[in-house]
């Protein structure tokens, strides 16, 4: 018996339709997977290459100053951000390349990409925003090293100096004005109408010591002072600097007074000064250079000594005017000498000269003591005063120190002076020192701080085998 079978074609058509959809879906999934894989590869390669750029930080700058910066000169005489872009492109192309020759011959890489364009669009140079980029790193370094209590003490010193105008008042100038006023009495007839007044200024002896050459007076061995000299023609402030785009917006840096105090501690930690010279430094008195900017150690130290004398003179004047016993002595001496010259009405002028002369002599002693490594308080008390009035009249320049007392060290007075200096000038002079010191090392003869960057933004364009383009932007920094 024969059985007839009937085969309908509708199932085959249905499968054909389903397979068409399924194959399209599969192809879309494959293409999507390829695109996503390409994008992931682009991100990974870009991130790796940006990290490679950061790994090229300047070793000598890190070794001497604990700073992370990329030197865009790369040991050549010319610093340029384009060289950083060229290095980045080399890293990208190296990471994109087919390293396995055998495998590349066996299969055709469907992810094949090439770097079409690599451009550095933003960089943070060390000198940007008046050196704020460098200050930000220096503050970050010191934040965990400096005790808050100590910084509060420094801040108190600074506030005291501001309150009493220790950094602005000029006692020597006041002494000169008083002397000029006293000189007006010289050569006139006294009250008796017969005696010709011949004034002898009781402060001339101390002032002559002050003006003759202070280093020989306050330093015991002036022949041992450093006489190092450097040409400042190409220093940071004088030359045309390379400019970046400043601190990146994602970095929070207040750059306020507190940050300035911490930055000053960085300076005191990484630079040398009188009594604590940096052995490898181009200058011996580096902090003094930051404060004065002269081209040789001797002049830098001399200027700082005069600034110290000016601060101590104001501080000593403030104390002396508050000491009623000492003021009575000056009044008695002034009255006596005015009577001797037969011009009693000039007694107040003589008293002013006695007071100012006394504080100048005491200030010379203070600075000599500081340079010996001893301490001197910012504002003295009666027990901390050294000279008597009779010693000032016959002042011979003797500054033999007594036992060490309490108060501030020489370095602490440098900290106060740094706080009163413009932070941009301070930063650029610090960068001058960095350049001088690093240029002494092998392969860094053309090193320049404004050619150093600590943050890079790059735009990278990739192109695939099928002529598709991909774009990515990355910002990396220390």
């Amino acid at each position: 018996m024969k059985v007839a079978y009937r085969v309908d074609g509708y199932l085959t058509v249905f499968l054909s339709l389903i397979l068409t959809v399924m194959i399209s879906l599969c192809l879309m999934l494959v293409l999507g997977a390829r695109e996503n894989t390409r994008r992931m590869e682009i991100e990974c390669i870009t991130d790796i290459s940006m990290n490679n750029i950061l790994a090229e930080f300047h070793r000598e700058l890190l070794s001497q100053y604990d700073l992370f910066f990329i030197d865009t000169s790369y040991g050549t005489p010319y610093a340029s951000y384009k060289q950083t872009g060229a290095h980045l492109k080399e890293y990208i192309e190296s990471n994109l390349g087919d390293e396995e020759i055998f495998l590349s011959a066996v299969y055709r890489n469907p992810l094949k990409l090439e770097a079409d364009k690599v451009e550095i669009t933003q960089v943070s140079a060390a000198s940007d925003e008046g050196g704020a980029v460098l200050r930000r790193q220096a503050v970050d370094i010191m934040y965990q090293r400096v005790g808050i209590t100590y910084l509060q003490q420094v801040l108190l010193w600074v506030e005291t100096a501001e309150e009493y105008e220790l950094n602005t008042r000029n006692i020597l100038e006041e002494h000169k004005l008083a002397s000029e006023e006293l000189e007006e009495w010289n050569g006139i007839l006294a009250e008796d109408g017969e005696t010709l007044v011949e004034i002898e200024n009781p402060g001339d002896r101390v002032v002559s010591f002050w003006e003759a050459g202070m280093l020989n007076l306050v330093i015991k061995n002036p022949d041992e002072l450093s006489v190092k000299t450097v040409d400042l023609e190409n220093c940071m402030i004088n030359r045309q600097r390379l400019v970046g785009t400043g601190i990146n917006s994602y970095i929070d840096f207040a750059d306020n007074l507190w940050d300035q105090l911490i930055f000053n501690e960085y300076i005191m930690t990484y630079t040398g000064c009188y009594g604590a010279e940096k052995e490898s430094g181009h200058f011996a008195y580096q902090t003094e250079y930051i404060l004065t900017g002269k081209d040789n150690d001797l002049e830098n130290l001399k200027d700082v000594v005069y600034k110290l004398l000016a601060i101590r003179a104001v501080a000593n004047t403030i104390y002396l005017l508050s000491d009623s016993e000492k003021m009575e002595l000056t009044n008695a001496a002034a009255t006596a000498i005015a009577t001797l010259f037969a011009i009693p009405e000039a007694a107040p002028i003589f008293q002013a000269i006695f007071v100012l002369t006394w504080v100048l002599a005491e200030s010379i002693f203070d600075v000599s003591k500081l340079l010996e490594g001893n301490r001197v308080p910012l504002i003295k008390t009666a027990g901390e005063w050294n000279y008597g009035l009779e010693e000032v009249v016959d002042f011979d320049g003797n500054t033999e120190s007594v036992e060490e007392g309490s108060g501030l060290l020489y370095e602490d007075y440098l900290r106060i002076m740094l706080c009163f200096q413009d932070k941009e000038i301070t930063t650029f002079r610090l960068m001058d020192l960095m350049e001088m010191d690093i240029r002494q090392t092998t392969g860094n003869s053309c090193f320049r701080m404004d050619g150093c960057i600590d943050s890079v933004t790059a735009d990278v364009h990739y192109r695939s085998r099928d002529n598709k383009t991909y774009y990515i932007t990355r910002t990396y920094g220390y």
Side-chain angles (χ1 to χ4, degrees), residues 41-246:
E41 182 183 23
I42 287 170
E43 290 188 7
C44 290
I45 287 174
T46 304
D47 290 339
I48 291 171
S49 301
M50 292 293 285
N51 276 314
N52 289 339
I53 289 295
L54 295 183
E56 295 182 321
F57 59 85
H58 197 276
R59 269 52 176 177
E60 198 63 42
L61 192 57
L62 176 65
S63 174
Q64 292 194 38
Y65 294 97
D66 287 337
L67 296 176
F68 283 95
F69 280 95
I70 303 167
D71 177 14
T72 58
S73 71
Y74 297 95
T76 68
Y78 307 103
S80 172
Y81 310 140
K82 292 182 179 180
Q83 294 194 72
T84 305
H87 278 232
L88 178 60
K89 188 171 184 179
E90 288 178 10
Y91 285 125
I92 290 173
E93 290 175 345
S94 177
N95 289 319
L96 284 173
D98 292 326
E99 301 295 337
E100 295 291 341
I101 299 176
F102 173 75
L103 291 178
S104 62
V106 172
Y107 71 94
R108 182 173 182 269
N109 185 359
L111 302 177
K112 183 65 176 179
L113 295 166
E114 62 180 24
D116 192 33
K117 181 181 179 183
V118 179
E119 183 180 7
I120 301 295
T121 57
Q122 293 183 345
V123 294
S124 294
S127 57
D128 282 354
E129 299 182 25
V133 174
L134 182 137
R135 286 197 299 275
R136 193 269 306 174
Q137 271 206 46
V139 169
D140 286 347
I141 291 168
M142 297 301 296
Y143 230 100
Q144 302 302 321
R145 302 185 188 179
V146 184
I148 298 299
T149 303
Y150 181 73
L151 287 179
Q152 289 173 336
Q153 180 61 63
V154 176
L155 183 59
L156 181 61
W157 294 337
V158 173
E159 290 173 348
T160 302
E162 286 182 328
E163 179 183 355
Y164 292 113
E165 299 179 329
L166 302 187
N167 61 312
T168 55
R169 189 175 171 186
N170 191 328
I171 298 300
L172 183 61
E173 187 63 30
E174 292 180 21
H175 191 287
K176 289 180 179 179
L177 292 175
S179 298
E180 290 173 2
E181 190 174 350
L182 182 63
E183 187 64 27
E184 294 178 3
W185 293 88
N186 196 30
I188 68 171
L189 289 176
E191 286 184 342
D192 58 14
E194 298 178 1
T195 306
L196 191 66
V197 176
E198 294 182 4
I199 297 292
E200 182 179 344
N201 192 325
D204 283 347
R205 188 175 181 83
V206 174
V207 173
S208 66
F209 276 107
W210 187 293
E211 295 178 337
M214 194 55 63
L215 286 182
N216 293 331
L217 189 61
V218 298
I219 294 177
K220 302 305 179 187
N221 299 305
D223 294 338
E224 298 178 4
L225 293 174
S226 169
V227 292
K228 292 181 179 178
T229 303
V230 69
D231 182 10
L232 298 180
E233 183 179 352
N234 195 35
C235 68
M236 290 289 292
I237 293 179
N238 294 336
R239 72 169 182 245
Q240 185 70 33
R241 297 186 297 273
L242 298 175
V243 180
T245 54

Side-chain angles (χ1 to χ4, degrees), residues 260-462:
Q260 184 180 355
L261 290 174
I262 299 175
F263 179 62
N264 291 345
E265 285 306 308
Y266 176 88
I267 292 174
M268 297 304 299
T269 302
Y270 288 89
T271 64
C273 64
Y274 177 80
E277 294 83 359
K278 184 178 178 180
E279 293 182 2
S280 60
H282 197 90
F283 273 136
Y285 313 135
Q286 295 181 315
T287 311
E288 287 84 350
Y289 166 74
I290 291 175
L291 286 167
T292 62
K294 299 296 177 62
D295 65 356
N296 66 85
D297 272 332
L298 208 57
E299 289 299 320
N300 287 323
L301 181 59
K302 185 185 296 182
D303 280 5
V304 167
V305 164
Y306 275 105
K307 287 182 179 182
L308 266 178
L309 286 165
I311 291 174
R312 288 306 316 149
V314 178
N316 289 332
T317 301
I318 291 167
Y319 163 71
L320 191 59
L321 293 176
S322 70
D323 190 317
S324 58
E325 184 178 340
K326 288 183 173 61
M327 289 303 294
E328 287 178 6
L329 286 174
T330 60
N331 182 49
T335 302
I337 197 171
T339 303
L340 179 65
F341 286 122
I343 46 173
E345 60 269 36
I349 303 175
F350 277 110
Q351 184 179 17
I353 289 177
F354 274 123
V355 169
L356 295 172
T357 302
W358 202 350
V359 300
L360 291 179
E362 185 73 14
S363 301
I364 292 172
F365 170 82
D366 291 343
V367 174
S368 175
K369 190 175 179 181
L370 285 169
L371 294 175
E372 289 177 6
N374 295 323
R375 295 177 180 271
V376 174
L378 201 57
I379 304 295
K380 288 187 174 182
T381 61
E384 294 163 332
W385 197 263
N386 179 68
Y387 284 128
L389 183 57
E390 65 282 356
E391 295 175 286
V392 173
V393 175
D394 297 322
F395 184 74
D396 60 359
N398 179 25
T399 57
E400 289 296 328
S401 292
V402 294
E403 67 277 0
E404 182 178 354
S406 61
L408 285 66
L409 293 167
Y410 173 68
E411 291 85 349
D412 296 325
Y413 281 93
L414 294 182
R415 288 179 172 91
I416 293 173
M417 286 188 274
L418 284 171
C419 287
F420 290 123
Q421 182 165 271
D422 180 78
K423 60 187 176 184
E424 182 173 324
I425 293 175
T426 299
T427 308
F428 284 153
R429 287 178 181 167
L430 173 62
M431 286 193 274
D432 286 341
L433 295 174
M434 292 176 172
E435 290 181 349
M436 294 175 199
D437 291 350
I438 291 176
R439 285 173 183 173
Q440 296 181 99
T441 61
T442 304
N444 293 304
S445 58
C446 298
F447 176 80
R448 52 188 295 172
M449 283 300 300
D450 54 326
C452 293
I453 58 178
D454 80 339
S455 178
V456 181
T457 299
D459 291 345
V460 186
H461 296 255
Y462 292 87

